[in-house]
Amino acid sequence: MSNLVKSELFKLRKDRSFWTLVLIIMALAVSYPPFVYFVLGIKSTSMKEILSAIALEGVNTYIVKFVPCILAGFFISSEYSIGTMKSIAASGNSRIRIYFSKLLVFSLGAAVIALIFPLIMPSVGLLFFGFYDMPRSDYIIQTVGLTILYACAFASVMALFAILFTDSGKTIGFLIISVSLFDTIMYTFAQKFKIVDIIYNYSVSKLFLDITKFNLGNEELFKLMIIPILTFLLVGWIGSFIFQKKEIM
Amino acid sequence: MGDYILRTTNLSKQYKDQWALDDVNISIKKGSIYGFIGQNGAGKSTLIKLITGLAYPTRGELELFGHSSAKELVQARKRIGTIIESPALYPHMNAIENLEVHRLLKGIPGKKCVKKTLSLVGLQDAGNKKAKNFSLGMKQRLGLGIALLGDPEFLILDEPINGLDPMGVVEIRELLKRLAFEHGITILISSHILSELHLLATHYGIIHKGKLLEQLSAVELNEKCQQYIHMKVDDPNKAATILETRLKTSHYEVLPDGTIKLFGYLDNPGKVSAILFHEGLIVEQFMPMREDLEAYFTNRIGGGYHE
């Protein structure tokens, strides 16, 4: 399996769509604090407010949920259209290993994308606003860890559809529409059906909104950790099962 | 395993209500160059996909290197190099990077093999050129290079000479011969260019509408290829009438360009030419010839000659 992971890592390193997305998000993250300082004229703010802005204003929520959809299309589905999926599938590696190596590296890419904003924006913010009201290091570690877990869980769901579709355009379009409508649809049905309400409350899509909360209790923190891990494993297993059965034309 | 690299028993594949492969029993001997012949949609690519594990058989058995269980087949495929339908290349990567992806995938230690492979397929000067800027012929060479990484024992090549210029065709032919005869690599090659296949293959399999019609060696093919008298006369219709009335034979074929193939009187061509001359026909060409693979194939799948 290490061969497959090394090969996928090499491809991710050479993936232009990945680097383009990374550079765009980096540029946004770097330009946000000077925008607040110079354009909005806010000369003093706390680090907690900066972090809240990332979380509550939903900047990173959109990045984590939408940007990897594009990567899924180019990194996974395009392998079908350019024909390379055939040579990978015929390489004498089991389909399960092929799928999980692809999922692992795609998740890594999604995690990198998810961490750019929360890591770069506060760092640049320090230059403008100083260390006033800086959160404790355990909070930063916890938030970074949860962001990685949720990025991987979302990546697992995206990889499932990316492996199902054989065209990057279809994958990107389907995923963006699905992600856009998921919360609205689930919220609507949750009002009418108790079971949907329970599923939605335990979904990564809903729980992701809570990961930057301050003063999380142990029970809540455990829930926030275990759900994305289970989602990653369960959806990953379903994806590998589908890929194993799929005939590559 | 014995002498065989690949053996199938009643291998069949159904897509919806159509059988793409129907009880195919194929066997490929170690060290042979197996030419796989069939029209578009005959089932060549389907068979290749079943061998390489891209698709799964509806029924029947597949044996690779003597292994036939699903788990063993996955392992056996590590010993195969493939080009399936078209060379699988990452267009934004250069030739070296494309080979590097597959070197890592196959777990081949060291990077020496990348340069060695580029030289082997004649792309030593194009290593840093992006694959998207390659000509079709260069793509084929790079695809072949990728298939050759890891020193496979069995090469499966689907249309590997498509798009190559005449010199390229000769080079690839010589390379494949060298791989088979010097390195003992078994090659399954499907191609529409039958004249080229004829210069290369040691064995043939003819597939038509999902059924394997025939497997034969090059020696057997030569024996089976019919001999005939090739004639060109000023009035082919009159010549045809003469053949039927004076020589009492219908075993001939009038081709669209007016030439006639006469499958008989090979032991007495003088009698034929004398009668034609006597009937006032001008004989422009007259020589004994042998059918080539293309003619044999057309005949075998029912393209038909006049009998």
Side-chain angles (χ1 to χ4, degrees), chain B residues 123-135:
Chain B
L123 288 175
Q124 60 275 19
D125 299 326
N128 292 315
K129 192 173 176 179
K130 287 198 190 304
K132 66 180 176 187
N133 298 326
F134 273 20
S135 67

Side-chain angles (χ1 to χ4, degrees), chain A residues 90-133:
Chain A
S91 64
N93 290 288
S94 79
R95 293 274 188 103
I96 295 175
R97 287 182 178 189
I98 292 170
Y99 183 81
F100 273 104
S101 60
K102 222 165 236 314
L103 173 59
L104 282 176
V105 175
F106 172 58
S107 299
L108 174 73
V112 168
I113 286 168
L115 288 176
I116 295 170
F117 224 86
L119 291 182
I120 291 184
M121 195 183 117
S123 307
V124 178
L126 284 176
L127 302 174
F128 288 90
F129 309 112
F131 288 89
Y132 170 63
D133 204 14

Side-chain angles (χ1 to χ4, degrees), chain B residues 37-45 159 191-192 207-209 297 301:
Chain B
I37 309 164
Q39 292 170 299
N40 287 335
K44 300 191 299 289
S45 293
E159 301 289 351
S191 176
H192 283 99
I207 190 165
H208 185 55
K209 292 181 178 171
F297 168 69
I301 66 165

Side-chain angles (χ1 to χ4, degrees), chain B:
Chain B
M1 179 174 99
D3 281 347
Y4 292 97
I5 292 282
L6 171 79
R7 265 199 296 216
T8 70
T9 312
N10 298 329
L11 196 67
S12 305
K13 177 68 183 174
Q14 189 178 25
Y15 289 114
K16 293 181 180 167
D17 56 349
Q18 194 177 355
W19 288 93
L21 280 184
D22 193 0
D23 286 333
V24 168
N25 297 300
I26 198 170
S27 47
I28 299 181
K29 273 188 179 172
K30 194 176 179 200
S32 62
I33 302 178
Y34 192 97
F36 201 34
I37 309 164
Q39 292 170 299
N40 287 335
K44 300 191 299 289
S45 293
T46 303
L47 181 69
I48 287 174
K49 281 173 186 165
L50 294 187
I51 298 168
T52 51
L54 300 183
Y56 304 105
T58 308
R59 63 163 191 257
E61 198 173 289
L62 176 75
E63 191 185 294
L64 255 177
F65 299 103
H67 303 292
S68 56
S69 76
K71 207 172 179 180
E72 287 173 333
L73 282 174
V74 171
Q75 285 300 314
R77 288 186 184 112
K78 284 192 195 303
R79 298 157 73 180
I80 296 178
T82 56
I83 297 182
I84 306 165
E85 286 175 341
S86 58
L89 309 174
Y90 294 97
H92 60 282
M93 290 189 202
N94 63 33
I96 292 172
E97 289 165 346
N98 265 289
L99 286 166
E100 181 65 6
V101 170
H102 289 85
R103 183 189 73 80
L104 292 168
L105 180 70
K106 293 178 180 181
I108 304 162
K111 291 188 176 183
K112 274 184 184 171
C113 63
V114 170
K115 285 203 166 172
K116 196 180 121 191
T117 307
L118 279 174
S119 302
L120 192 66
V121 294
L123 288 175
Q124 60 275 19
D125 299 326
N128 292 315
K129 192 173 176 179
K130 287 198 190 304
K132 66 180 176 187
N133 298 326
F134 273 20
S135 67
L136 185 55
M138 289 169 87
K139 284 179 183 170
Q140 291 284 14
R141 285 165 189 264
L142 185 55
L144 185 60
I146 289 168
L148 287 170
L149 272 176
D151 301 324
E153 293 164 62
F154 185 23
L155 265 182
I156 298 176
L157 308 173
D158 199 358
E159 301 289 351
I161 49 177
N162 255 8
L164 290 176
D165 55 41
M167 278 307 292
V169 171
V170 174
E171 281 174 31
I172 295 296
R173 185 205 308 148
E174 293 309 312
L175 171 65
L176 293 178
K177 275 185 175 173
R178 220 167 53 235
L179 290 169
F181 303 138
E182 290 175 17
H183 301 270
I185 297 176
T186 309
I187 302 173
L188 167 62
I189 178 169
S190 88
S191 176
H192 283 99
I193 308 168
L194 299 187
S195 54
E196 191 54 40
L197 214 51
H198 206 172
L199 295 171
L200 193 62
T202 58
H203 293 77
Y204 299 92
I206 299 174
I207 190 165
H208 185 55
K209 292 181 178 171
K211 285 187 182 290
L212 189 71
L213 298 182
E214 190 175 12
Q215 284 192 109
L216 70 172
S217 69
V219 175
E220 288 168 329
L221 176 74
N222 282 336
E223 284 169 4
K224 285 191 172 189
C225 279
Q226 294 184 78
Q227 282 188 298
Y228 61 92
I229 297 170
H230 168 94
M231 299 187 287
K232 186 152 190 170
V233 294
D234 60 336
D235 187 347
N237 292 332
K238 188 177 174 186
T241 312
I242 293 165
L243 291 175
E244 294 198 13
T245 53
R246 298 286 306 274
L247 293 169
K248 309 282 183 219
T249 182
S250 57
H251 197 40
Y252 67 90
E253 181 186 9
V254 182
L255 300 179
D257 65 350
T259 54
I260 299 170
K261 284 180 171 182
L262 173 63
F263 301 96
Y265 289 94
L266 282 149
D267 53 344
N268 195 3
K271 184 178 177 183
V272 181
S273 61
I275 290 174
L276 293 175
F277 182 75
H278 184 73
E279 293 290 336
L281 287 168
I282 299 169
V283 181
E284 295 162 5
Q285 291 173 12
F286 190 93
M287 62 191 116
M289 290 183 89
R290 185 184 282 278
E291 266 187 341
D292 59 5
L293 177 61
E294 201 164 82
Y296 182 79
F297 168 69
T298 313
N299 198 17
R300 196 69 187 77
I301 66 165
Y305 294 113
H306 292 288
E307 286 285 324

Side-chain angles (χ1 to χ4, degrees), chain A residues 22 52 58 61 69 74 135 151 222 224:
Chain A
V22 165
S52 296
T61 308
C69 296
F74 288 115
F222 178 73
L224 286 176

